[in-house]
Amino acid sequence: MLTSDNNNNLAEGAAADGHELPVARDSNDNTNNSNIGSPAEEGVLGKGSGSSAFTKDQPECFVCIEAGADLLRGCACRGTSAGFVHLQCLVEAAQANRATWFRCPTCKQEWTGRLGLGIARARYSLVAEMPEEDEDRLDAAMDLTRALSKSGDFAEALQLGHETLTTLRRVSGEEHEDTLRAMSCLAYVHFEMCDEAEALPLETEILAVKRRMLGNDHPETLAAIANLAATYADLSHHDVALPLLTESLEGERRTRGSDHTASIIAMNNLATLHMHMGNAEEALPLYTESVERNQRLLGSQHPNTLFSIGSLGCLLYFMGDHAEAVPLLEDSIVGLTLVYGEAHPHVVNFQERLDSCVSDMADSPD
């Protein structure tokens, strides 16, 4: 997801919504797939693992400093113990420190996966009975819309997104920054649902306003460029998408550096477009760099890393390198299933590609 540094939005530290176009095993990661989640970089510890089962090397909640069942981790903290927390403990910590609603206080990355959805639901539940024009309620609704969409809960995300945008258009006007953010949330839901025809007019309007009000190099403008480009790419309008994605990547690198999350996602999206256009030689170095940077900055089991690994696996499959593609796709599927579940669109997409790859290898005379 593309992040926005605009602190004038309703959410303090909230992120704008960025699209990742649907499409290597970590050389430093010796973890077998069957052991991912024991404990996981991102996931939940199973019920019944009472405190007596933990050793000093096993995780404990960073808020209450106690071990126990249902510890979650949904950030970029690494190792066997860092970053784990009970959801209720995190909610209590966030009520005392607003920034904790959005990001891990240690690694400073956004919450993801089940923890991200859980904290977003908890935040919204605290303000759901407030008047619909209340800023905290609107902000929490947008945060929850985004989390629901990332988790594949599209029906609920769509309803909440429409309600929030309707309210903000009425109380703040069409071009207010919070209205534009609500439009971006709703466009993100439509994009994830593969309903690009609904996303396109929203994203076109957002970009036109951002260019006029903020200029071409503002982070929010660059995010809007990337989102519109991703939608055009999904609609196979490659001639329109290519210059937009190139502008997005160059702008992110110039203004925020190559290690910023937005730059890496732009890199991955440009690689995906090149793959769809049949330009494998252009896509390969971009995908490879995306994987390397994500692994170094976020760890091998962060959702962004897992998505880039799966994308690289898809490219290698299309290039005919099935032996290299299979372990990458397997790692991505196992990790993303742990985070989002097996029905998530990214998991389904990569599983279909893996099945095709294995079938092709079985049919090969070699």
Side-chain angles (χ1 to χ4, degrees):
M1 59 304 302
L2 297 177
T3 58
S4 169
D5 292 334
N6 177 26
N7 291 323
N8 294 321
N9 282 345
L10 285 171
E12 178 183 338
D17 302 296
H19 307 339
E20 290 179 307
L21 284 171
V23 271
R25 185 186 300 273
D26 185 350
S27 60
N28 297 316
D29 182 8
N30 297 318
T31 305
N32 184 280
N33 283 344
S34 62
N35 292 328
I36 293 177
S38 307
E41 290 283 341
E42 159 80 47
V44 60
L45 294 180
K47 293 182 178 180
S49 53
S51 59
S52 62
F54 287 86
T55 70
K56 64 180 181 179
D57 295 324
Q58 291 182 301
E60 58 187 21
C61 175
F62 69 75
V63 176
C64 70
I65 320 299
E66 293 183 3
D70 294 337
L71 281 172
L72 291 162
R73 176 159 64 177
C75 60
C77 288
R78 309 188 199 188
T80 60
S81 59
F84 284 91
V85 67
H86 297 112
L87 177 58
Q88 185 56 43
C89 290
L90 186 61
V91 171
E92 293 172 5
Q95 289 176 286
N97 180 2
R98 179 179 171 82
T100 306
W101 286 117
F102 312 110
R103 288 180 169 83
C104 171
T106 302
C107 70
K108 311 303 181 186
Q109 294 295 320
E110 280 192 342
W111 302 119
T112 61
R114 279 172 280 185
L115 184 57
L117 179 58
I119 193 70
R121 281 195 184 279
R123 181 175 174 231
Y124 184 71
S125 71
L126 294 174
V127 295
E129 300 304 317
M130 300 293 289
E132 63 178 12
E133 300 89 353
D134 180 80
E135 287 192 357
D136 286 338
R137 174 177 170 170
L138 289 166
D139 181 42
M142 285 186 277
D143 193 36
L144 179 55
T145 298
R146 196 161 61 96
L148 287 165
S149 186
K150 288 180 179 180
S151 298
D153 299 321
F154 297 130
E156 188 177 353
L158 198 60
Q159 179 179 348
L160 188 58
H162 274 296
E163 291 173 356
T164 306
L165 179 56
T166 298
T167 300
L168 278 166
R169 278 174 164 161
R170 175 169 53 81
V171 301
S172 300
E174 289 289 339
E175 294 192 355
H176 191 277
E177 59 191 348
D178 296 326
T179 306
L180 294 172
R181 180 173 162 232
M183 290 173 64
S184 181
C185 285
L186 185 57
Y188 180 74
V189 178
H190 283 298
F191 180 87
E192 289 294 302
M193 294 174 65
C194 299
D195 190 3
E196 293 86 356
E198 292 292 332
L200 188 62
L202 293 170
E203 290 164 348
T204 301
E205 182 178 353
I206 292 167
L207 178 55
V209 175
K210 295 292 185 183
R211 284 194 191 274
R212 186 177 74 251
M213 297 178 63
L214 301 175
N216 291 330
D217 277 349
H218 192 279
E220 291 185 20
T221 305
L222 293 170
I225 292 170
N227 291 344
L228 180 60
T231 299
Y232 272 122
D234 255 20
L235 290 167
S236 298
H237 296 323
H238 298 158
D239 57 330
V240 180
L242 183 58
L244 288 172
L245 282 176
T246 302
E247 179 185 0
S248 170
L249 177 56
E250 291 176 351
E252 294 291 1
R253 281 174 163 168
R254 183 174 62 253
T255 60
R256 297 203 272 193
S258 296
D259 276 350
H260 194 279
T261 302
S263 298
I264 299 171
I265 290 177
M267 192 184 308
N268 206 81
N269 282 351
L270 183 57
T272 300
L273 179 61
H274 278 302
M275 179 175 68
H276 290 169
M277 295 174 68
N279 302 330
E281 297 305 317
E282 296 285 343
L284 184 58
L286 290 169
Y287 271 145
T288 302
E289 183 178 353
S290 172
V291 170
E292 290 173 349
R293 290 185 185 276
N294 275 327
Q295 287 176 331
R296 173 168 53 83
L297 297 167
L298 301 176
S300 61
Q301 294 303 312
H302 190 279
N304 288 16
T305 307
L306 293 165
F307 183 82
S308 62
I309 288 172
S311 298
L312 177 58
C314 287
L315 175 64
L316 292 172
Y317 165 75
F318 286 125
M319 294 176 69
D321 194 348
H322 295 166
E324 291 292 329
V326 166
L328 297 177
L329 289 167
E330 288 176 339
D331 284 358
S332 178
I333 291 165
V334 170
L336 288 172
T337 299
L338 182 65
V339 177
Y340 295 123
E342 62 184 11
H344 192 275
H346 291 336
V347 177
V348 173
N349 181 41
F350 290 142
Q351 185 64 57
E352 290 175 351
R353 193 64 58 221
L354 176 61
D355 292 344
S356 297
C357 191
V358 172
S359 177
D360 289 351
M361 291 175 70
D363 293 339
S364 173
D366 297 332

